[in-house]
Amino acid sequence: MLKKIVLVFSFLLMFFSFAYTRQQVPNLSVTQISSNNNTVLFSYKEKTFLGLSVNNTNISPNNSIGLASQTEFQFYQFNNNVKIKYWELKITDNNFKEVFISSGTGFPNENITWNANNGNSFIEGNFKYFFKIIVNKEDMSVDGNITVDGTLPYVLLQTSMDTIVISEDKLLKELTIASNVGDETGIDFNRTSLQILNEKNLPVKSWDLKNKEFQNIFWDGKDDIYNELIKPGEYKIVSTAYDLTGNYNQTEKKLTVIRCDLKGDISDIVVKEEPLALLVDLSSVILFSSDSCNINEEALSLLDQTADLLKVYQANKVLIEGYTDDSETKDPLLLSYIRAQAVYAYLVKEGIQAERLQAVGYGKENPIASNEDLKEKEKNRRVTIVILKKEEKTESEEENEEENEEKTEENDLTE
């Protein structure tokens, strides 16, 4: 009798265990159909009834450069016989603080968007989304990551010269380009570039930044296509950077290339481009002794080079600026003006048209070296040559010139 009771009890235990196990098998399931976990399908009793696709998990709010400005949650209904009791979409920050929530019953009739808006601004950082549904007392949830980055990568660009000179089929001085890019999220070096573009915005030279955020690049003036020296003209150096989110930033610098067969060592002349002029700095050689307006003999070759350079810009006016240091005893404005006049006279003797030149004196103003150091202050006894850029003509001025030329031609024909 006891054996029968034990047998019946064992049978009942097995039955209830089996029934309980069957009851624990979930009817609600989810399937990922994309490797990035952004598209999932929900099924009930092996019948798909809901799809969710999360688009743009890297966003840059208020950014007009092409990167998506909001994350979109798209819903697809496949079976309306399955009744959704409750659904919830929640987004939290790294500290699990809730920054967004939307919920409802039944099928989500509209897609949901999130633009990280926080009143008058937006919040940046890494976030996590959670989507949960409840069907017949069973619940299922999925999650994923969203990155919000509205900060552009920084792009810094410096060059050793704004104007490079070609002489005897080579650059007289190699151009150094300092490139510096960076971002908190990291730089996408597959899309980041450094190029030199010609007047038609076509690249003549490109560099692989080799996964380095900062580096100095040395250029000999040769292009990528033929490995030949580029032609004189106007170019621009363009640095473009993308961060890992997809934000984009760009900066550029103008580069002028001229041809001039100079005599001597061009390293004594520094040419720098300003918005309205080219500055030729002659401070590397001491032009004048203290309180003197006589040009030192060792500086004459430098002025010869300068004269050759000015002959390249035959249509441009030239300003000759004289300066003194702060220890000279003679009247600084008068002394600086006489120094500028001395250079003026020398350039005229070397074939530069006098009507192109104007001499001015600035005395002790704008020192380029410390006046506290006896050796350094010599550099302040200097002359700077300013090659003024030609003013751009308006369309009306160009039209008037063309009309005048046509009238002149007509007069010549009638005569």
Side-chain angles (χ1 to χ4, degrees):
M1 184 66 180
L2 182 61
K3 288 183 177 181
K4 288 183 178 180
I5 293 173
V6 172
L7 187 62
V8 171
F9 180 77
S10 299
F11 175 77
L12 291 173
L13 183 62
M14 290 176 61
F15 174 79
F16 285 115
S17 297
F18 177 73
Y20 178 77
T21 303
R22 286 196 63 187
Q23 188 178 3
Q24 293 302 302
V25 175
N27 293 309
L28 191 59
S29 62
V30 63
T31 304
Q32 299 175 6
I33 64 172
S34 66
S35 59
N36 58 9
N37 196 28
N38 288 345
T39 303
V40 295
L41 296 177
F42 292 91
S43 300
Y44 187 74
K45 294 184 178 180
E46 299 183 351
K47 292 183 179 179
T48 300
F49 67 95
L50 176 67
L52 169 62
S53 181
V54 184
N55 302 317
N56 308 324
T57 54
N58 290 331
I59 64 173
S60 180
N62 301 328
N63 196 347
S64 61
I65 59 171
L67 194 65
S69 61
Q70 60 185 14
T71 300
E72 183 179 29
F73 298 85
Q74 290 184 313
F75 299 96
Y76 307 93
Q77 186 175 18
F78 298 106
N79 188 338
N80 55 14
N81 292 324
V82 178
K83 305 303 180 184
I84 300 175
K85 184 177 180 181
Y86 178 77
W87 60 266
E88 179 183 272
L89 173 65
K90 182 168 62 175
I91 299 176
T92 65
D93 61 17
N94 275 340
N95 298 318
F96 296 100
K97 179 183 177 182
E98 185 180 291
V99 297
F100 176 84
I101 188 167
S102 181
S103 60
T105 59
F107 177 79
N109 292 319
E110 295 182 351
N111 297 332
I112 298 174
T113 59
W114 181 63
N115 60 5
N117 190 281
N118 185 25
N120 296 327
S121 61
F122 59 87
I123 48 179
E124 291 187 277
N126 296 315
F127 300 85
K128 204 167 189 67
Y129 67 83
F130 302 88
F131 179 72
K132 181 177 77 170
I133 60 172
I134 298 177
V135 177
N136 290 341
K137 297 183 180 180
E138 291 187 39
D139 66 82
M140 181 66 66
S141 64
V142 294
D143 61 67
N145 299 312
I146 300 174
T147 300
V148 181
D149 181 10
T151 303
L152 303 182
Y154 67 80
V155 183
L156 304 177
L157 184 64
Q158 290 184 320
T159 57
S160 57
M161 295 173 284
D162 298 310
T163 299
I164 55 177
V165 181
I166 297 173
S167 180
E168 298 179 355
D169 296 324
K170 66 178 181 179
L171 287 190
L172 288 171
K173 185 181 289 187
E174 199 172 48
L175 179 67
T176 303
I177 304 171
S179 169
N180 192 0
V181 297
D183 188 82
E184 288 184 359
T185 65
I187 292 295
D188 183 355
F189 282 97
N190 290 325
R191 304 169 70 189
T192 295
S193 64
L194 178 64
Q195 295 180 312
I196 294 182
L197 308 182
N198 61 17
E199 292 176 340
K200 296 180 179 180
N201 281 328
L202 297 175
V204 296
K205 183 67 180 179
S206 301
W207 287 274
D208 179 4
L209 297 183
K210 299 178 181 178
N211 296 328
K212 292 182 180 179
E213 293 188 348
F214 174 78
Q215 58 186 299
N216 286 326
I217 294 171
F218 304 97
W219 186 44
D220 59 3
K222 294 183 179 179
D223 62 24
D224 280 335
I225 303 173
Y226 304 107
N227 195 33
E228 293 181 354
L229 208 60
I230 62 171
K231 296 179 180 179
E234 297 297 326
Y235 296 82
K236 59 183 177 182
I237 306 170
V238 180
S239 179
T240 306
Y242 286 84
D243 64 20
L244 295 179
T245 305
N247 285 306
Y248 152 98
N249 199 5
Q250 185 179 83
T251 189
E252 62 183 53
K253 282 182 69 70
K254 289 183 179 180
L255 178 67
T256 301
V257 180
I258 63 174
R259 174 177 290 279
C260 181
D261 293 322
L262 296 173
K263 302 182 290 290
D265 184 7
I266 190 64
S267 62
D268 290 335
I269 293 182
V270 178
V271 181
K272 183 174 179 59
E273 184 171 9
E274 296 286 334
L276 299 176
L278 286 179
L279 303 185
V280 183
D281 187 2
L282 308 180
S283 62
S284 59
V285 173
I286 308 305
L287 295 179
F288 304 95
S289 300
S290 182
D291 283 324
S292 172
C293 59
N294 297 319
I295 301 173
N296 291 331
E297 188 174 346
E298 59 266 26
L300 295 181
S301 62
L302 183 64
L303 293 180
D304 291 339
Q305 297 169 26
T306 304
D308 288 339
L309 183 62
L310 295 182
K311 290 172 185 176
V312 177
Y313 295 93
Q314 295 185 12
N316 298 73
K317 299 289 186 180
V318 178
L319 193 62
I320 305 170
E321 300 178 341
Y323 296 91
T324 67
D325 66 38
D326 70 343
S327 64
E328 297 182 271
T329 58
K330 293 182 179 179
D331 181 279
L333 286 176
L334 179 60
L335 179 59
S336 62
Y337 174 71
I338 296 174
R339 284 174 174 171
Q341 283 285 2
V343 172
Y344 171 100
Y346 189 88
L347 292 176
V348 171
K349 183 174 71 71
E350 290 299 307
I352 306 300
Q353 295 173 320
E355 55 268 25
R356 292 178 54 198
L357 306 178
Q358 180 183 356
V360 293
Y362 288 106
K364 297 180 289 185
E365 292 183 24
N366 306 320
I368 61 170
S370 171
N371 280 308
E372 302 299 321
D373 186 288
L374 292 177
K375 193 68 178 174
E376 282 293 304
K377 71 165 54 181
E378 293 179 343
K379 296 178 181 179
N380 292 328
R381 302 196 297 268
R382 71 191 191 280
V383 168
T384 298
I385 308 295
V386 183
I387 305 173
L388 300 174
K389 293 184 178 179
K390 292 185 291 185
E391 293 184 2
E392 303 228 350
K393 295 175 183 170
T394 64
E395 290 184 7
S396 60
E397 288 175 333
E398 290 179 351
E399 289 175 359
N400 290 335
E401 281 192 1
E402 290 177 1
E403 290 178 3
N404 291 334
E405 288 176 1
E406 290 175 359
K407 289 179 180 178
T408 301
E409 290 176 1
E410 290 175 2
N411 293 333
D412 290 341
L413 289 173
T414 54
E415 290 176 359

